[in-house]
Amino acid sequence: MLLCIETTCDETAAALIDRDRRVLSSAVASQEEIHQRFQGVVPELAARAHLERIVPIIQQVLDQAGIEAARELSAIAVATEPGLPGSLLVGLAAAKGLCVAWQKPLIAINHIQAHIYACQLTRQENIYPCVGFVVSGGHTNLYQCHSADDWKYLGGTIDDAVGEAFDKVAVMLGLPYPGGPHISRLAKAGDACKYALPRPMLADRTTLNLSFSGLKTAVRYHLVGTGKQDFSTLSLSLQQQQDMAASFQQAALDCVVGKAELAMHRTGGPRLCIGGGVAANSLLRAQLSSMAQRIGVELLIAPLELCTDNAVMGAIAWEFYDRGQFAPLDIDIHAGLQRGA
Ligand code: KG4
Ligand code: ZN
């Protein structure tokens, strides 16, 4: 079995996955309470929290599964890119140390491709080839994926990630961080047509790029006008919160679904795989399903519990293990986004 480690952003996670992609144990230590008062992830605090949590969380998954690591592990896999540098370094250093101590090979994982691979764990069927779409707090990117390590960037956000837009609008509405789930909950009772908000770049069929910062600014202008930036003094009624949550959510999701559809037309399909934190959004799941049905493509969405960051999606490492693709022990992290072949 594989020990998979994930520390790209603000979740410290570990999991043990067997060759049939079955999860023997999995644990995620969230840092939500640390970053909540800053209304976003503070990279230095995230790295320090990973340092405190990484050894206990690995110990926890080994204990839960009753595994004797040195004898029973096949390899150790860790997400080395993309992510926050300090956070990535903690996971990689832990993985390297354990590889040396237990004499195991190291496997490097691309976190974005792992988010897409979470769809493989929906039906336990091969997902490749597919169009992979990652919609998370850090990324909103479309890929043509031929296999776990052969993929091409098709387009993505030119400014904020869609999850980041959810989180920032949530701050304007006085909701806790991370705001996505709160917006989604409030939106259920709101009127999505109440506020006329833009769908930036949606009508431009020449590009698979997206943009969310103008939408976010439009929400701000509706709430406080063009001058004021202080939301702490803003007092919104519940109805206003609900209507803005619904209007913003619909605008953001229209962009995501619209570009997903365009990507399927452009590539000729046949399969669309969606992962990342925002893929947990129930309205997005429903609207993607109707779109996929309408245009006749197969849709796989990551299981709900594997949308936000976790180590189980590190099961992608089996694809590399089977091909003997191991990483050297002097491999470094890669914080930025690579665009593939
Ligand atoms: O994948 P993830 O855990 O972290 C990154 O790799 O970025 O995604 C976290 C993001 C946050 O922005 C959060 O607000 C958003 O996913 N999110 C949601 C929902 N659940 C989480 N956004 C909209 N609706 C949701 N139900
Ligand atoms: Zn992620």
Side-chain angles (χ1 to χ4, degrees):
M1 71 203 68
L2 294 181
L3 168 63
C4 302
I5 298 172
E6 153 64 40
T7 62
T8 58
C9 187
D10 62 340
E11 326 277 1
T12 319
L16 285 167
I17 320 277
D18 77 7
R19 191 181 207 97
D20 298 324
R21 319 303 193 248
R22 276 190 308 240
V23 183
L24 291 130
S25 58
S26 162
V28 181
S30 159
Q31 300 180 8
E32 256 171 48
E33 79 287 1
I34 296 175
H35 304 289
Q36 210 147 43
R37 71 190 174 100
F38 304 102
Q39 296 167 333
V41 177
V42 181
E44 181 62 26
L45 295 182
R48 283 165 194 245
H50 282 307
L51 263 182
E52 286 164 10
R53 291 152 195 229
I54 187 78
V55 173
I57 207 106
I58 292 171
Q59 191 64 59
Q60 185 183 330
V61 294
L62 291 172
D63 290 348
Q64 259 170 19
I67 294 302
E68 196 200 315
R71 198 166 50 84
E72 293 177 81
L73 284 184
S74 308
I76 297 171
V78 61
T80 55
E81 63 174 316
L84 300 172
S87 294
L88 287 165
L89 279 170
V90 175
L92 181 57
K96 284 180 177 178
L98 294 176
C99 284
V100 172
W102 294 332
Q103 296 287 297
K104 303 294 172 191
L106 178 68
I107 300 176
I109 298 172
N110 176 303
H111 176 74
I112 302 283
Q113 298 303 315
H115 266 304
I116 295 167
Y117 196 79
C119 295
Q120 173 115 359
L121 308 167
T122 307
R123 275 198 230 152
Q124 300 288 2
E125 275 169 27
N126 175 36
I127 58 167
Y128 303 109
C130 69
V131 169
F133 197 0
V134 176
V135 284
S136 73
H139 304 281
T140 304
N141 301 333
L142 277 154
Y143 297 89
Q144 173 93 67
C145 303
H146 302 289
S147 71
D149 67 343
D150 181 8
W151 39 265
K152 195 175 112 211
Y153 182 80
L154 296 173
T157 181
I158 57 165
D159 41 56
D160 291 355
V162 59
E164 193 181 347
F166 268 88
D167 294 341
K168 287 179 177 166
V169 167
V171 170
M172 300 181 205
L173 296 179
L175 304 169
Y177 170 85
H182 298 284
I183 295 220
S184 161
R185 182 178 41 78
L186 278 178
K188 289 195 168 79
D191 174 5
C193 300
K194 181 77 186 181
Y195 298 98
L197 295 172
R199 272 81 171 145
M201 300 183 85
L202 178 59
D204 185 352
R205 291 182 59 84
T206 65
T207 176
L208 288 171
N209 284 340
L210 303 95
S211 165
F212 293 97
S213 87
L215 169 58
K216 186 188 66 187
T217 307
V219 172
R220 180 161 82 82
Y221 287 173
H222 273 285
L223 294 176
V224 293
T226 50
K228 247 169 64 183
Q229 295 216 20
D230 182 12
F231 298 98
S232 56
T233 53
L234 195 65
S235 113
L236 296 173
S237 69
L238 178 61
Q239 189 64 53
Q240 282 173 314
Q241 277 186 319
Q242 289 166 336
D243 290 343
M244 185 51 92
S247 303
F248 160 76
Q249 174 175 259
Q250 192 56 65
L253 299 188
D254 280 352
C255 298
V256 169
V257 177
K259 291 294 174 173
E261 180 174 348
L262 183 59
M264 299 318 285
H265 283 304
R266 283 254 189 113
T267 59
R271 189 176 299 119
L272 174 62
C273 292
I274 309 237
V278 181
N281 184 285
S282 50
L283 188 63
L284 176 62
R285 296 172 89 92
Q287 294 187 346
L288 283 169
S289 298
S290 347
M291 180 273 286
Q293 244 173 11
R294 177 167 50 76
I295 66 170
V297 301
E298 185 189 353
L299 172 70
L300 289 174
I301 311 181
L304 261 188
E305 69 284 6
L306 299 183
C307 286
T308 47
D309 287 348
N310 64 86
V312 172
M313 62 197 193
I316 193 172
W318 274 116
E319 305 282 327
F320 301 110
Y321 184 90
D322 288 340
R323 288 185 235 143
Q325 283 175 248
F326 300 113
L329 277 182
D330 63 355
I331 188 175
D332 204 352
I333 58 149
H334 199 291
L337 188 68
Q338 304 210 48
R339 299 194 165 206

